[in-house]
Amino acid sequence: MGAGKKAKNVAKTTKGKMKETTGKAVGNESLEAKGRGEQAMGDAKQAAQKAKDALKH
């Protein structure tokens, strides 16, 4: 996996976790849901990159 793409995916997952935690702390369900969504997107993209890398080898 390209280092740049991996970093972006990890950053998206981390950003989502921060939003979810903040949403829980302040009682904002919308922010919490957005955070979970971002985490899922980051995880999915990371899994797709790993699959691509596995097919290359």
Side-chain angles (χ1 to χ4, degrees):
M1 175 185 317
K5 288 184 180 181
K6 182 178 180 182
K8 280 185 179 181
N9 295 335
V10 170
K12 188 162 213 61
T13 302
T14 303
K15 182 179 172 186
K17 185 64 177 172
M18 289 182 352
K19 279 187 179 181
E20 181 184 10
T21 302
T22 303
K24 281 182 184 178
V26 298
N28 186 334
E29 292 178 13
S30 176
L31 184 59
E32 202 175 327
K34 285 180 186 178
R36 282 193 299 270
E38 281 189 25
Q39 286 179 70
M41 284 179 55
D43 290 341
K45 286 183 179 185
Q46 197 166 5
Q49 274 299 323
K50 285 182 182 181
K52 282 183 186 178
D53 289 345
L55 293 174
K56 287 182 182 178
H57 298 285

